[in-house]
Amino acid sequence: MSALLEAWADADGAARARRLFAATFGAEPTGVWAAPGRVNIVGEHTDYNDGLCLPIALPHRTFVALRPRPDRTVRLVSAQEPGVREVDLDTLGPAGTAGEVAGWPAYAAGVAWALEREGLAAAGSVPGFDAAVDSCVPAGAGLSSSAALECAVAVALDDVAGLRLGGDDAGRARLADACVRAENEVAGAPTGGMDQAAALRAQAGHALLLDCRDGAVRQVPLDLAAAGLTLLVIDTRAPHRLVDGQYGRRRRVCEDAAGALGVPSLRSAADAVESGQTTPGAVLALLDDDEQRKRVRHVVSEIGRVRSLVARLAQHPGAQLEGSALDTVASGLDASHESLRRDYEVSCPELDLAVETARAHGARGARMTGGGFGGSAIALVDSGDARHVAAAVDRAFAEAHFDAPAFLSAIPAAPAGPVRA
Ligand code: ADP
Ligand code: MG
């Protein structure tokens, strides 16, 4: 079967990035910085509804060796992409304008552009730079390799340009805003703020409770290793389907439903249910459109699931995550998948098969994670069972004539920062 994709040790990732830097630019970098990919434990399609989500930083990281330049040129090389690319920071602009940059350099150089636009650069501008990138975060698997790249560049520029934002959570929130802006405006990819918040603001041994209404975060203890558990991440490698417009349509239906309910966002409906002012049934009874009812049922119940999972984890941190507490967390994952499949209708045959097979072979709970229509699923498994569950999913995919999936095993890891190796 496919092996579990191992996370690189910091020393290994840093050495790879340094070697690529030296081979390409014929000099030593000033340093190496890294940022993680992420998976969301629960809270899917809640971000644009001002809701709650609960991502963790993966142990899999993107490494960037970087050295500032005396001019405004950015030269970029990546072990995952061909060639050396050059961007001029004085002409770089948003996607769809004359300054547009094609392809992956938009994510890296876009961060410099966004730091300046956000007014975060000390002297009004950041220097040009040479950078070499290498990564063990699978790209395009819904594990946010794009944010890992942006956030690694952001912490690197924070250091070399003396922005002093990386030292506390408030500063990291501002770096995250710049990375979101780089992805939205320069790369032209719509994204909420979850990926960048996880990469910059999560902590090892914790999940990050992110309130998408105001960007507030809370560290929620999730010491899976102490509990003898791990998250098996299953990259389904499902072929890209014709799902254009589905994301936009979900957003629109949610906005319309909030309008019909007379609230600013569906978060308000979830809060009213949470505080006992109303019930889910009473909320749904106010809507006469069937599509709206299904989407609202998912969003309101999903925000509730984030809350109840967080409450459980707060009571049962570390090794105490066992017995009925573990059952509650696991069944929350299962319920989230069912809700995304039935009510939000964003799953696909590969995700359903991954989740069902993992459960049938001993996973405590499992769900699709990310936007859906492909990408990855997660299964909460006893640490010793990860390979066995992965092998079962691999077999099931072969029998269904699906492309072979890829696997990695994850516990909540550290956020972006310098690599001291
Ligand atoms: P995801 O973030 O889920 O992995 P995206 O489509 O958002 O998928 O981002 C993937 C894109 O990010 C890649 O196509 C590439 O442009 C860029 N990218 C990510 N990692 C790297 C890397 N190591 N080197 C160069 N580009 C990268
Ligand atoms: Mg992405």
Side-chain angles (χ1 to χ4, degrees):
M1 64 150 251
S2 354
L4 296 181
L5 288 174
E6 297 289 337
W8 294 343
D10 269 358
D12 185 21
R16 286 170 183 255
R18 278 181 185 281
R19 270 201 305 273
L20 182 59
F21 189 99
T24 309
F25 304 118
E28 285 300 308
T30 307
V32 180
W33 293 261
R38 63 99 189 91
V39 281
N40 191 19
I41 305 285
V42 74
E44 217 64 77
H45 285 281
T46 55
D47 55 353
Y48 51 84
N49 290 298
D50 282 349
L52 304 170
C53 55
L54 191 69
I56 62 163
L58 291 175
H60 299 70
R61 295 163 79 80
T62 292
F63 294 81
V64 174
L66 183 143
R67 173 177 163 129
R69 295 170 54 95
D71 57 18
R72 296 272 289 163
T73 298
V74 173
R75 290 192 299 172
L76 298 162
V77 64
S78 166
Q80 281 71 49
E81 298 279 348
V84 179
R85 299 284 305 270
E86 201 167 305
V87 177
D88 179 351
L89 284 181
D90 288 326
T91 57
L92 173 68
T97 69
E100 175 175 80
V101 192
W104 75 273
Y107 295 94
V111 173
W113 179 91
L115 287 169
E116 292 175 0
R117 292 307 174 290
E118 293 272 307
L120 298 175
S125 63
V126 295
F129 55 90
D130 292 335
V133 180
D134 204 347
S135 179
C136 62
V137 182
L143 302 177
S144 213
S145 68
S146 57
L149 174 57
E150 291 147 18
C151 296
V153 171
V155 289
L157 291 178
D158 183 51
D159 273 353
V160 301
L163 312 185
R164 298 173 181 274
L165 293 167
D168 60 20
D169 185 67
R172 283 175 170 256
R174 301 182 74 189
L175 290 178
D177 288 342
C179 291
V180 171
R181 206 162 161 191
E183 181 148 348
N184 287 168
E185 295 182 38
V186 182
T191 164
M194 171 169 65
D195 306 350
Q196 294 79 4
L200 282 159
R201 303 173 74 189
Q203 286 176 12
H206 295 77
L208 185 78
L209 174 62
L210 173 65
D211 188 329
C212 300
R213 184 155 58 185
D214 57 7
V217 298
R218 195 176 118 201
Q219 303 294 335
V220 180
L222 182 62
D223 192 347
L224 291 179
L229 297 165
T230 191
L231 277 177
L232 177 69
V233 180
I234 305 160
D235 168 10
T236 63
R237 304 231 176 122
H240 191 73
R241 293 194 175 80
L242 289 176
V243 292
D244 283 0
Q246 290 289 350
Y247 177 82
R249 184 177 169 96
R250 294 294 181 288
R251 282 187 83 136
R252 218 165 38 248
V253 170
C254 287
E255 278 162 25
D256 292 349
L261 293 169
V263 292
S265 69
L266 294 182
R267 167 65 176 278
S268 307
D271 285 354
V273 168
E274 172 72 14
S275 66
Q277 277 169 268
T278 184
T279 63
V283 172
L284 298 181
L286 296 171
L287 299 167
D288 36 47
D289 179 83
D290 193 45
E291 187 180 6
Q292 285 185 6
R293 269 201 299 274
K294 283 189 186 176
R295 308 306 186 231
V296 171
R297 189 160 58 197
H298 166 70
V299 172
V300 168
S301 66
E302 186 78 354
I303 293 173
R305 275 186 288 276
V306 177
R307 287 198 163 105
S308 57
L309 234 79
V310 166
R312 273 295 170 166
L313 294 174
Q315 288 163 355
H316 299 273
Q320 292 155 37
L321 184 58
E322 56 178 11
S324 69
L326 177 53
D327 291 344
T328 311
V329 171
S331 60
L333 299 185
D334 292 345
S336 171
H337 186 78
E338 283 315 295
S339 179
L340 287 158
R341 185 178 70 80
R342 276 210 326 263
D343 283 341
Y344 222 65
E345 299 178 278
V346 291
S347 191
C348 65
E350 290 86 348
L351 285 167
D352 289 341
L353 184 63
V355 162
E356 282 157 21
T357 309
R359 282 185 203 140
H361 288 81
R364 305 287 192 143
R367 63 181 284 269
M368 56 159 279
T369 184
F373 303 113
S376 294
I378 52 170
L380 184 63
V381 300
D382 294 335
S383 306
D385 286 351
R387 282 172 199 281
H388 157 75
V389 175
V393 173
D394 208 46
R395 276 196 310 275
F397 270 50
E399 278 162 25
H401 303 291
F402 292 158
D403 290 345
F407 302 94
L408 53 93
S409 160
I411 54 172
V419 181
R420 306 190 199 288

